[in-house]
Amino acid sequence: MKFFVDTADTAAIKELNDLGMVDGVTTNPSLILKSGRDIIEVTKEICDMVSGPVSAEVVATEAKEMIAEGMKLAKIAPNIAIKVPLNWDGLTACKAFASEGHKVNVTLCFSAAQAILAAKAGASFISPFIGRIDDIHYDGTDLIEDIRIIYDNYSFSTEILAASIRSVNHVIDCAKIGADVVTAPPSVIKSMANHVLTDKGLEQFLKDWAKTGQKIL
Ligand code: G3P
């Protein structure tokens, strides 16, 4: 399973990347806003740091303009994956980018039907937003499961990039289903290390160690 980090915070990406936890990065207009940085500048910095795909999202609403924006984003670095929304214009742009050999991440996917279209249009990644589906009281992981079955039935090469990950349980559920990639905020990735019994066990070991009066160094 690959881990992408869902952020444009370069310090957070560096910390995880230095530990070998980063197979790629995803950004979107909201994350660029949160970073307070210029999209081209911050995306370039991320691409220089991370060797895997870095998704940079177009903001135009019509295919022709999306294609122009995407081509500009693709020039930032060879590891850019151009991110387009899952609507008809986005699919048109996806096909154009894929035909030119660019990686494309089709985002804002909320149904299996949409995921089929993205695969047909040559997407490298499909991004189903599971947290936002949970927000409206459906089960986001059901969608990951449906897409997994469909893509496997037809050997589609599009990778399932589970997005809108809000919790450690989301990551585990996606791993059990067989999502190819999970993109999660740094806080979720770091909290995967936490366990109450680890803390409790360590506390006991340290107490007992103190009683031995020994030192290792
Ligand atoms: O990868 C998409 C992600 O950034 C959206 O997450 O939590 O805003 O639904 P969220």
Side-chain angles (χ1 to χ4, degrees):
M1 169 183 238
K2 286 180 268 188
F3 267 180
F4 287 5
V5 195
D6 197 31
T7 187
D9 176 340
T10 52
I13 295 167
K14 184 174 183 324
E15 184 190 1
L16 291 167
N17 195 40
D18 287 349
L19 284 178
M21 302 285 179
V22 180
D23 300 303
V25 172
T26 50
T27 66
N28 62 37
S30 306
L31 293 172
I32 295 293
L33 172 69
K34 203 168 161 195
S35 77
R37 306 268 312 267
D38 171 78
I39 182 171
I40 304 291
E41 192 192 284
V42 73
T43 307
K44 168 109 186 64
E45 199 176 316
I46 297 168
C47 289
D48 287 346
M49 200 181 340
V50 172
S51 54
V54 174
S55 293
E57 188 162 343
V58 301
V59 290
T61 54
E62 285 175 17
K64 201 171 154 206
E65 257 189 86
M66 283 181 188
I67 293 168
E69 286 183 354
M71 290 303 184
K72 181 168 178 185
L73 294 172
K75 286 201 180 90
I76 296 173
N79 54 334
I80 284 286
I82 306 162
K83 207 170 176 190
V84 298
L86 211 161
N87 54 27
W88 209 252
D89 285 278
L91 292 168
T92 307
C94 173
K95 182 72 186 162
F97 295 137
S99 309
E100 297 268 321
H102 295 292
K103 278 196 185 301
V104 189
N105 176 357
V106 181
T107 190
L108 290 167
C109 171
F110 294 95
S111 77
Q114 289 180 313
I116 293 172
L117 293 179
K120 299 289 283 180
S124 313
F125 301 104
I126 183 69
S127 290
F129 273 35
I130 70 174
R132 293 192 193 185
I133 293 176
D134 290 357
D135 287 345
I136 58 162
H137 310 297
Y138 288 88
D139 186 340
T141 53
D142 284 351
L143 175 58
I144 304 291
E145 211 161 358
D146 287 349
I147 300 172
R148 182 73 283 156
I149 292 167
I150 294 166
Y151 279 10
D152 288 349
N153 279 348
Y154 298 99
S155 302
F156 284 130
S157 59
T158 304
E159 292 187 64
I160 302 174
L161 196 174
S164 186
I165 297 286
R166 308 268 178 79
S167 67
V168 172
N169 282 348
H170 274 159
V171 177
I172 300 308
D173 288 343
C174 289
K176 280 157 72 177
I177 293 164
D180 301 286
V181 191
V182 162
T183 189
S187 57
V188 171
I189 295 176
K190 288 183 83 172
S191 63
M192 289 172 75
N194 299 342
H195 199 288
V196 66
L197 293 179
T198 305
D199 296 342
K200 197 175 163 206
L202 184 59
E203 198 184 323
Q204 186 63 51
F205 285 156
L206 293 179
K207 266 190 200 152
D208 291 344
W209 180 248
K211 286 182 202 156
T212 69
Q214 299 180 43
K215 282 194 182 340
I216 295 177
L217 289 177

